[in-house]
Amino acid sequence: MAKINNKTKIEVTDGVLIPARDDSSIFSAWRIAFYGAISVLVLLPVLSPEPYCHVFKFVVGFNEDWHFDFASSGLVKTFEVTVLSIICALIIGLLVGLGRISRYPVINRICTVYVEVIRGIPLLVQLFYIYYALAKFVKIMDISAAVIAMAICYGAYISEIFRAGIQSIPKGQMEAALALGMTRSQAIYRIILPQTIKVVLPPIGNEFIALLKDSSLVSILAVSDLLRRGREYASTAFYYFETYTMVAIIYLILTLFFSRLVAIMEERMKTDVNQG
Amino acid sequence: MSTRVKVSNVSKNFGHVVALNNVSCEVKQGDVFFIIGSSGSGKSTLLRCINRLENVTSGDIWIENDLVTGPKANIRKIREETGMVFQSFNLFPHLNVLNNITLSPRIVKKVSIEEAEEKARILLKRVGLLEKERAYPEQLSGGQQQRVAIARALAMNPMVMLFDEPTSALDPEMTKEVLDVMKDLADEGMTMMVVSHEMGFAKAAANKVVYMDNAEIIEMGTPQQIFDNPQKERTQRFLRNVLRT
Ligand SMILES: Nc1ncnc2c1ncn2[C@@H]1O[C@H](COP(=O)(O)OP(=O)(O)OP(=O)(O)O)[C@@H](O)[C@H]1O
Ligand SMILES: [Mg+2]
């Protein structure tokens, strides 16, 4: 694996194009897409309430009088799965990332094998596998199975980000800490990880967006997320095209919104680094 | 004077590369022990074996009565007894100057914050940077960073300071401010091992000079003996080359 220095941005191929202010063409493309999507989201239900307005209410979780119903909201479910998964994936990713730079060969090997195995299996297959494997032993809530599967998968990718981030910190930092009498774990906790955070936050933001998109896969596990609510609506009302148009638009708006957020965060980090 | 550091028949290999070949030397309390030699001759490796950033392949090193080498050595105690200053400063960029200095006393020696900060301010005053205690490393010039790094090492009350080319990354003006600090330290009786090519500083501050080449100590003596009257042909050639550039 190639080492990267402190200033390198860790590139993640899976994300959307991230708009940054110095890249005006992507930024305006982002604007067109984002405001375009919002206009479509507003115009379709206004111009043609049947079925678009009903789809929107059904999927996002409003009842007939526009009262928000938390329990039946596909949007809330999607966020629930995404946020819980990313939290678990971050914990797994940090531990495995540290394991991969461990001096103990056994830990090192276990973590590397985990990453290789997980990255070699499609997420959808993992979801099926974990769901039915777990079902063999315990009766598990649908959303937990989904979160466990997503976390195990994304933990592997995020561990790579942590590992690359940790290795991007110059070797002299660890040496200086050791020379001052710190133990290796003190040095990692006090010196290396605080510097790693800045490097890994943007790529982790991208993983969050990727996970948000991939969370739609859990609709096969009887989790009533955005996509599944759409399927439920479509299969009773037979408005397939209209329903999936709305679902796609909602995903697009979410993704674009968060990618902008990540870009802003990245810019902040840059100026933070420059100003100290 | 008692012996602070004793290096006895130390060899160090990196795979097939021999970095130290049967090196022996002694540093007494208060010595300013100067190490010169061409690139790759093993100077850094010698310093790094003394605080066990590297493990020797064979031979023994003592600091006072503590055996540095060997499996039962108390590595943390050794690292507390030695302060190291690096060519690239290696300040912690996410901590301000004060925290750079106080972190290790606090978490390694369990000194209270107040005590650690008081000590840090005394040291910052000594290196002439008291007004910079809230600054972050990147806001400082190279010379200022290196002086903070020296203060940071001193905060652990080391018995011997190891300097690995402390001024090689600095321009002449900043070199002088760092060397001035080192000269003060030497005058106060600090035991120091210094890898450097600053011959002027060696003449002014060192009491022992060692010339290394090809993983071995070739010649050892006072600054006058080594610089003005070197006995070995290799030393003469090295000095001629250094003086010419
Ligand atoms: N970690 C390492 N792995 C492999 N070889 C190394 C390592 N560190 C040093 N060496 C080799 O050991 C030899 C001595 O290196 P060392 O850094 O001690 O030299 P030096 O005298 O400090 O040189 P310089 O003036 O360039 O700093 C060199 O041949 C170097 O390539
Ligand atoms: Mg060196």
Side-chain angles (χ1 to χ4, degrees):
Chain A
M1 285 280 149
K3 288 203 174 174
I4 50 177
N5 67 36
N6 211 1
K7 289 176 194 86
T8 320
K9 195 165 77 180
I10 300 168
E11 301 284 356
V12 176
T13 48
D14 197 40
V16 275
L17 279 177
I18 305 297
R21 206 160 285 153
D22 52 349
D23 193 343
S24 56
S25 66
I26 295 178
F27 186 54
S28 58
W30 178 86
R31 278 195 170 156
I32 294 169
F34 186 68
Y35 293 113
I38 287 189
S39 317
V40 172
L41 185 72
V42 172
L43 282 181
L44 283 180
V46 167
L47 296 180
S48 155
E50 176 68 30
Y52 289 108
C53 197
H54 289 117
V55 176
F56 181 81
K57 284 179 176 174
F58 190 86
V59 166
V60 175
F62 292 104
N63 67 13
E64 288 308 311
D65 343 308
W66 288 99
H67 277 300
F68 190 67
D69 178 15
F70 221 74
S72 73
S73 166
L75 189 64
V76 169
K77 262 291 176 296
T78 289
F79 272 111
E80 208 177 319
V81 171
T82 306
V83 170
L84 289 177
S85 304
I86 196 88
I87 290 171
C88 299
L90 281 173
I91 296 168
I92 295 176
L94 178 58
L95 293 178
V96 174
L98 287 172
R100 294 203 64 191
I101 57 159
S102 165
R103 286 169 306 166
Y104 302 104
V106 179
I107 296 178
N108 207 304
R109 193 57 55 83
I110 291 173
C111 293
T112 310
V113 169
Y114 160 73
V115 172
E116 289 304 326
V117 168
I118 295 299
R119 292 207 302 185
I121 303 174
L123 179 53
L124 189 54
V125 176
Q126 286 181 46
L127 277 176
F128 275 126
Y129 185 82
I130 291 174
Y131 187 68
Y132 291 107
L134 286 174
K136 258 187 141 87
F137 305 107
V138 280
K139 185 82 200 87
I140 190 160
M141 247 180 67
D142 306 319
I143 185 161
S144 329
V147 167
I148 291 171
M150 300 283 272
I152 289 177
C153 174
Y154 271 80
Y157 291 97
I158 289 179
S159 77
E160 283 293 275
I161 294 176
F162 273 114
R163 185 185 59 81
I166 290 170
Q167 289 181 340
S168 75
I169 307 301
K171 224 173 102 223
Q173 291 288 310
M174 174 58 93
E175 289 188 344
L178 293 179
L180 284 165
M182 291 182 215
T183 59
R184 236 179 102 87
S185 37
Q186 278 176 328
I188 286 175
Y189 179 66
R190 300 281 192 158
I191 305 301
I192 306 299
L193 283 183
Q195 296 182 56
T196 307
I197 302 295
K198 277 189 183 167
V199 191
V200 300
L201 261 184
I204 283 176
N206 289 334
E207 288 299 294
F208 175 82
I209 294 168
L211 206 156
L212 179 70
K213 289 187 289 179
D214 280 350
S215 75
S216 60
L217 291 173
V218 304
S219 60
I220 55 146
L221 300 184
V223 176
S224 299
D225 74 331
L226 273 175
L227 179 58
R228 191 178 180 91
R229 290 293 282 174
R231 269 168 62 196
E232 285 167 10
Y233 185 86
S235 60
T236 52
F238 302 107
Y239 286 114
Y240 289 99
F241 170 75
E242 293 82 351
T243 305
Y244 291 127
T245 304
M246 288 303 274
V247 169
I249 291 281
I250 293 172
Y251 272 114
L252 180 61
I253 290 174
L254 291 178
T255 312
L256 288 170
F257 173 76
F258 283 111
S259 66
R260 185 73 199 122
L261 222 58
V262 171
I264 291 171
M265 183 174 74
E266 200 166 357
E267 248 162 60
R268 285 264 166 82
M269 294 280 159
K270 257 187 230 159
T271 47
D272 269 6
V273 171
N274 293 340
Q275 291 162 4
Chain B
M1 284 288 173
S2 66
T3 302
R4 268 283 151 89
V5 180
K6 187 169 156 70
V7 176
S8 169
N9 302 316
V10 164
S11 296
K12 170 69 184 174
N13 303 342
F14 292 103
H16 295 298
V17 178
V18 180
L20 293 177
N21 183 14
N22 206 20
V23 168
S24 300
C25 60
E26 241 181 77
V27 180
K28 301 227 186 292
Q29 189 186 332
D31 271 357
V32 176
F33 189 97
F34 215 80
I35 304 165
I36 57 175
S38 53
S39 181
S41 56
K43 308 180 296 294
S44 298
T45 305
L46 177 59
L47 290 192
R48 293 162 60 85
C49 284
I50 290 172
N51 70 352
R52 257 193 95 153
L53 283 180
E54 305 287 358
N55 290 318
V56 301
T57 306
S58 66
D60 290 319
I61 297 175
W62 283 271
I63 297 177
E64 294 277 301
N65 296 318
D66 299 319
L67 183 61
V68 172
T69 47
K72 279 196 297 234
N74 182 346
I75 297 183
R76 276 182 81 164
K77 181 150 183 264
I78 291 159
R79 301 236 174 95
E80 282 178 43
E81 287 171 347
T82 53
M84 190 166 219
V85 175
F86 301 85
Q87 177 176 355
S88 50
F89 327 135
N90 296 348
L91 291 183
F92 305 132
H94 61 300
L95 300 177
N96 67 24
V97 165
L98 199 60
N99 289 333
N100 257 282
I101 299 174
T102 57
L103 179 64
S104 211
R106 273 166 41 211
I107 67 174
V108 176
K109 290 195 154 176
K110 312 289 183 211
V111 173
S112 72
I113 294 195
E114 296 76 31
E115 202 181 323
E117 292 193 342
E118 195 186 319
K119 175 97 198 272
R121 293 206 175 90
I122 293 171
L123 290 168
L124 278 175
K125 197 165 170 202
R126 209 158 132 190
V127 300
L129 288 171
L130 194 51
E131 76 287 356
K132 295 289 187 188
E133 65 171 59
R134 298 279 159 211
Y136 281 82
E138 65 193 355
Q139 298 168 319
L140 302 178
S141 73
Q144 290 171 332
Q145 288 190 47
Q146 193 61 298
R147 285 185 281 155
V148 172
I150 293 173
R152 180 176 71 175
L154 290 173
M156 296 296 283
N157 283 327
M159 298 207 299
V160 52
M161 286 283 286
L162 310 173
F163 292 86
D164 192 356
E165 307 206 29
T167 60
S168 303
L170 302 174
D171 61 32
E173 205 175 314
M174 295 193 281
T175 296
K176 182 173 181 308
E177 61 190 50
V178 171
L179 291 180
D180 286 346
V181 167
M182 290 170 62
K183 180 78 172 64
D184 281 349
L185 267 184
D187 291 344
E188 285 164 31
M190 174 61 78
T191 310
M192 300 165 48
M193 295 181 77
V194 184
V195 173
S196 170
H197 296 293
E198 295 292 335
M199 304 299 173
F201 176 76
K203 283 178 186 159
N207 62 335
K208 275 185 202 159
V209 178
V210 154
Y211 169 65
M212 287 184 74
D213 187 29
N214 202 10
E216 292 176 25
I217 290 182
I218 304 298
E219 195 166 350
M220 194 176 331
T222 64
Q224 289 72 31
Q225 286 168 346
I226 300 293
F227 294 128
D228 302 336
N229 192 17
Q231 300 299 308
K232 298 273 171 48
E233 199 267 328
R234 273 196 273 182
T235 317
Q236 292 164 2
R237 190 157 13 110
F238 173 76
L239 287 171
R240 266 203 310 278
N241 286 337
V242 169
L243 292 181
R244 216 184 314 131
T245 52

